[in-house]
Amino acid sequence: MVEAKLGELLVEKKVITPEQFNLAFEMQRLHPDKPIGQLLCSMGFLSREDLEQVLDINKKRRKLGEILVSQNLINEERLDSALKISLSEKVPLGKTLIRQRLVGEEHLARAVASQYDLKFINLAGVRFDQQMSHFINASFAQRHRIAPVRCRDGVLTIAMAFPLQREELVQLENWCKMRIIAVIAKESDILVAQQKIFNLQNAPNHEELNFEVSEDQIRESNKSRYVSDFISADVDFLVKRIITTGIRDGASDIHLESTALGMDVRFRIDGMLQTIEMGADEVLINPHARQIVSKIKIMCDMDIAERRRPQDSSFKMKVAKGGVVRGVDFRVSTVPTHFGENVVIRILDKRSGTLTLESLGYSPDHVSLLHQALDKPTGIFLVTGPTGSGKSSTLYAILSHLNTPGVKTLTIEDPIEYTIDGITQTEVNDIIGNTFATLLRAFLRQDPDNIMVGEIRDLETATIAMRAALTGHTVLSTLHTNDATSAVTRLIDIGVEPSLIGSSLRCVLAQRLVRHICRKCPVQYTPSDLVLSGFGIPLNSGLKFMQGKGCPECNYTGFSGRLPIVELWIPTSDELLMLSRRPDNPTLRNTVFTQSDRLTMIEDGFRRVPAGETTLEELLRVVPFEQIEAGRDKIAKLFEAKPL
């Protein structure tokens, strides 16, 4: 035991007696979480100065990484990786471990306390007295990440994120003219304590994005004057900081989740929820959680007094970056929870510019086939997939291809996500009766060539869209289905006649989005045997598999950006005739994909693995398992016939 070795060393140096060591060792059995050195000091057998001197001179202080490994908080491999990153980026190991989310902040603080034989204290809920500011200078406290938390009987207790050097501690004792007891606390708690003790003002960080609120209409100012007092400047800044971070890092959603201690903020980036470090501002969110929710509700014209029912609304902002201003829409949803209200903010960034299928990551083969199908007049194009699978972006890319000076294109959207010059775009508004079906009827009298319907949700919209496709129009729309052929069974289920589907259907594109391996930190690895066998890949295949190691560029996730994996179905005349018999999906899928050379979604995704674009584990996460099972034999045969 390290404790025993330290005790034996102290006995050997005659700093303590064998009897004192044995008493402390017995006491440690009752308090196994306390280091032997701390117990010896608390029992009066050893002074803190003598303990520090013995540890430093004899180099007996355990390393932080060793403590974390011994506590099973991290393994050797991840520790080595974090150490290399710390050395290359010249940042402390603890900060690297937290940024990579390998250990929690409290676990790290407890490990530091164990390393230096100090007591760990939790500052959450502690009331701080501003009189403490007389003992220590604010700039010194900020520079050394410390905070005075208690003064009693001539003894000052100071919480530290990392212990001060002995010389600095002596200097501080001489300045305060009292004995100092050092304890370890979480750095975030210390920053909160500094804010309260020294009454520090929050200086807004200079961000690349600067926001200006743009209202749709002049709102009646009939709220109580106390609202402005309740929503402080700090809260205004924190809301702006959260939204800035989301837009800067390309988040699609911001999740504000109420907890027992305040609020957690997470960002959905590349389809996954992530926690992003926001520096010193992060620690201010918990104490202002309720005010942040109220500020967002005020921006949306929600009822701030209603906390028991869900609410939905929206607001708009303008983003200025590099002299370019663009509008950003935010859809907001609140729901009541046990600890308060949860808020989800959907970011609808109205980016201007041209989207293309190539820029979205479609393979050249799929782009060529889609362009050939689009060059034929009339018919309906359907893009299918679950929410968040990139359907809208694909439709916008197709619209950009169709958008030429000689044609008129109209869109019905809910809401408008991208602005395209030369296209008339209309937003659904159910409150005034502007539904998909109503607007679609009106569009047919506007002499359009191309029509985009954001989503087919009901029989009326589906029937009008199909008939429009029969009368010389190109119609684009989306459906929520798992694969391409399910689009037909979905339309039949909502009541569309199979003959109408067979007469108007030109193309179905089913897709998912998989995360792209970070281009800054790719490393070779070997998937587990279970994963390989799940895809029908021999264990000795010789294939080269890549994954992201994790770096600041990808927020240590190993992935950056997303790309589509698709299955494209351009029906033949025989397949369209088959629809009149109302085939079920397995039968139709067998004809369309199994008995042809068309690639299924999983096969298209598998092609991207040897290319170093994504991983097998990512395909397992995104593609429905029944499709993986159905494609296993085909992938195995493809592999045997033609090594990738």
Side-chain angles (χ1 to χ4, degrees), residues 389-421:
S389 59
K391 300 187 297 297
S392 296
S393 297
T394 298
L395 285 183
Y396 281 116
I398 293 175
L399 283 176
S400 298
H401 176 78
L402 296 173
N403 186 25
T404 58
V407 300
K408 182 173 183 177
T409 302
L410 305 175
T411 72
I412 312 169
E413 307 176 50
D414 183 23
I416 297 171
E417 297 184 31
Y418 300 89
T419 301
I420 304 178
D421 294 335

Side-chain angles (χ1 to χ4, degrees), residues 357 362-376 381-383 394 398 401 506-509 566 568-570:
L357 294 169
Y362 282 87
S363 67
D365 292 343
H366 284 135
V367 172
S368 176
L369 288 171
L370 277 170
H371 284 174
Q372 289 175 27
L374 290 167
D375 291 339
K376 299 174 184 177
F381 278 77
L382 294 174
V383 182
T394 298
I398 293 175
H401 176 78
R506 194 197 309 176
C507 175
V508 183
L509 178 71
V566 305
L568 178 62
W569 177 32
I570 301 175

Side-chain angles (χ1 to χ4, degrees), residues 7-24:
E8 291 167 3
L9 180 64
L10 291 170
V11 171
E12 180 184 339
K13 298 294 182 181
K14 297 183 178 180
V15 179
I16 61 173
T17 65
E19 292 77 13
Q20 290 173 333
F21 166 68
N22 290 332
L23 288 172

